[in-house]
Amino acid sequence: DAALVLAAAVGRKLLGNKKATAANAVAEFVKEMNRAAQVLGFRNSHFENPDGYHAPNHYSCPADLAKIAALALDEPAIARCMGLQKDRVTFVSGETLVWENTNRLLNPESEYYCPDAVGMKTGYTGSAGYCLMAAFGERPLVVGIFGAQEPLTRYENAQALYNAWLQISEQPDIQMPLAHGAVEQ
């Protein structure tokens, strides 16, 4: 919902029309989103909506998603929100909502909790399976898990990749890449 609201607001600014319909504004935002993706070098991505839900011509690849994750981490407000385990918001109306992050790596009460996790994004669609973009450490290592058949497998795999990276990174003669990805078969 938030992605659609933000896309409509930005789309109206792009159109220069505060009264544009939500559908037209979102379409304009998505058009700009695809243009920006090309400028940023995302060669294997095409977006049809701002929220990532499955659509016939909406796709990306692990390398492009890792680049998007790195860009998100570079934005302090986004990075802060991705790392929150829980947040409480009170609206002008007085209504209060509590949002809980579904990323179990951030929840100290979860068996998958990792104190080095700095957040990112969980996801699921029937076509994509259970997915997770996770980031660990001060100079974040981005880990992508895609196509897990069970929801908890994504956390197990992310932890395994991070632990392997920790072991390898302790060896001084090894150059470490900035991102890793895994696809469950």
Side-chain angles (χ1 to χ4, degrees), residues 61-83:
C61 70
D64 285 357
L65 292 173
K67 290 177 193 175
I68 292 168
L71 289 169
L73 286 168
D74 284 342
E75 290 294 327
I78 294 172
R80 184 187 72 75
C81 289
M82 287 188 304

Side-chain angles (χ1 to χ4, degrees), residues 89-143:
V89 177
T90 302
F91 296 97
V92 174
S93 66
E95 179 184 8
T96 299
L97 292 177
V98 176
W99 282 291
E100 291 193 39
N101 196 323
T102 59
N103 185 343
R104 292 177 183 231
L105 297 171
L106 299 174
N107 183 347
E109 296 176 14
S110 167
E111 67 183 282
Y112 300 102
Y113 174 69
C114 177
D116 292 342
V118 294
M120 293 303 299
K121 175 76 177 90
T122 63
Y124 172 82
T125 68
S127 298
Y130 293 94
C131 303
L132 172 69
M133 290 301 291
F136 299 90
E138 285 182 38
R139 184 175 151 234
L141 169 76
V142 173
V143 173

Side-chain angles (χ1 to χ4, degrees), residues 104-105 111-112 129-132 143-161 182-185:
R104 292 177 183 231
L105 297 171
E111 67 183 282
Y112 300 102
Y130 293 94
C131 303
L132 172 69
V143 173
I145 306 297
F146 308 98
Q149 294 180 6
E150 299 294 328
L152 300 179
T153 304
R154 56 188 163 181
Y155 304 110
E156 294 164 0
N157 289 343
Q159 286 178 323
L161 284 171
V183 177
E184 184 178 273
Q185 297 296 332

Side-chain angles (χ1 to χ4, degrees), residues 1 3 5 17 22-23 33 38-39 43 45 48 65 69-70 88 96 112 114 117 142 174 185:
D1 292 345
V5 169
N17 180 356
M33 192 173 160
Q38 289 300 306
V39 168
R43 302 290 177 240
S45 295
E48 286 195 23
L65 292 173
R88 180 185 192 99
T96 299
Y112 300 102
C114 177
V142 173
I174 296 179
Q185 297 296 332

Side-chain angles (χ1 to χ4, degrees), residues 39-63:
V39 168
L40 291 167
F42 303 155
R43 302 290 177 240
N44 297 301
S45 295
H46 182 268
F47 305 106
E48 286 195 23
N49 58 59
D51 54 19
Y53 282 104
H54 181 73
N57 200 29
H58 188 101
Y59 57 86
S60 194
C61 70

